[in-house]
Amino acid sequence: MREPLPADMFDELCPSPLNPIRFGDKWAALIIRCLEDGPRRFSELRVPLRRVTPKVLTGSLRSLERGGLVRRTVLAGATPHVEYELTPLGRSMLVPLAAACAWTEEHWDELIDARESYDDASGPRPAHAYAPGPAAGRPGG
Amino acid sequence: MREPLPADMFDELCPSPLNPIRFGDKWAALIIRCLEDGPRRFSELRVPLRRVTPKVLTGSLRSLERGGLVRRTVLAGATPHVEYELTPLGRSMLVPLAAACAWTEEHWDELIDARESYDDASGPRPAHAYAPGPAAGRPGG
DNA sequence: CAGAATCCGTGGGGATACTG
DNA sequence: CAGTATCCCCACGGATTCTG
């Protein structure tokens, strides 16, 4: 709740297009995990999410707020101070999110192998190699 | 298993951008539900998924195949005959999919209300009305 | 600190028409 | 029947720069 978020909270291949299950937009699931232990400031979020530009992070947070999953609070004071926290609705989403993460973790190797063998088989092909990646992002792990 | 898929299997607002949980691309979750009871032919899938153009349906099926969730089988014969079915991996995905659907169904009203009040509050605003819809689709119901 | 403004590339996804 | 082939649009998301 009070510990700062670790900079290496997520590894570089996260989110991955291999994961078919996605919560919100590309970064939403990661944001939700960052808020799991209590409210966080914008700049706190930027630490584990340093690969996300401020514009994109803001957009993602606005989208979560719009969906009722996150509440944005402007604290009074001389300098800007904004906190983001999960709403009860957002918190309830941790359940299916955990289920999705568990599934992904359990089947990660199969997902890798499946894509590899598909691409091996259809890559060398001359025509109709048609291989559109899924529009998916890896939620958590 | 043998009953044809009903044309009204999904309602028109499905998938909906209100749902933050998404499996694969826009139509993947619907396809998976269509395959739940056994293998289906391309034209069988087109009945409940009649709003999806053949090109897009093919793309979605290829993506599922690439991810190892669906197997495509060309049956021998004079006229083209292709079947799609869930792999064990695809079938295992029914579990988190069901969890997601349950969550969505349970919180549907809250999702609607949240967006409505957000848009009511920020819509009339002059500047920074910044309201980017989430890149999400409604999985099942 | 917490963003906003601007520019821009990529590709998902729809419409339409055609084919082995 | 089971797709392909084109064309097109625009929303997502990244880079960069600027500000109350």
Side-chain angles (χ1 to χ4, degrees), chain B residues 22 26-27 55:
Chain B
R22 190 165 159 174
K26 186 172 180 185
W27 302 103
K55 174 204 153 192

Side-chain angles (χ1 to χ4, degrees), chain A residues 11-141:
Chain A
D11 72 51
E12 312 80 38
L13 60 95
C14 191
S16 156
L18 274 175
N19 189 342
I21 311 180
R22 190 165 159 173
F23 288 73
D25 61 23
K26 186 173 181 184
W27 302 103
L30 272 49
I31 293 172
I32 290 174
R33 304 215 70 149
C34 288
L35 300 178
E36 218 169 336
D37 297 325
R40 297 289 183 180
R41 301 181 56 177
F42 189 80
S43 47
E44 282 186 279
L45 294 172
R46 293 206 64 192
V47 176
L49 300 172
R50 63 201 176 288
R51 286 175 307 159
V52 191
T53 64
K55 175 205 153 191
V56 171
L57 182 56
T58 301
S60 216
L61 284 164
R62 289 285 188 283
S63 175
L64 287 166
E65 195 191 353
R66 191 177 182 222
L69 304 171
V70 161
R71 174 167 31 244
R72 176 176 180 271
T73 312
V74 180
L75 286 285
T79 93
H81 189 119
V82 179
E83 270 187 4
Y84 294 92
E85 62 182 327
L86 291 178
T87 62
L89 181 59
R91 194 158 288 281
S92 79
M93 201 185 205
L94 291 171
V95 179
L97 181 53
C101 287
W103 182 88
T104 299
E105 205 159 338
E106 193 178 341
H107 298 284
W108 192 243
D109 293 349
E110 299 174 65
L111 288 167
I112 293 174
D113 292 351
R115 173 151 313 189
E116 215 173 55
S117 47
Y118 183 94
D119 289 349
D120 282 358
S122 62
R125 264 346 151 48
H128 54 283
Y130 203 113
R138 195 167 168 214

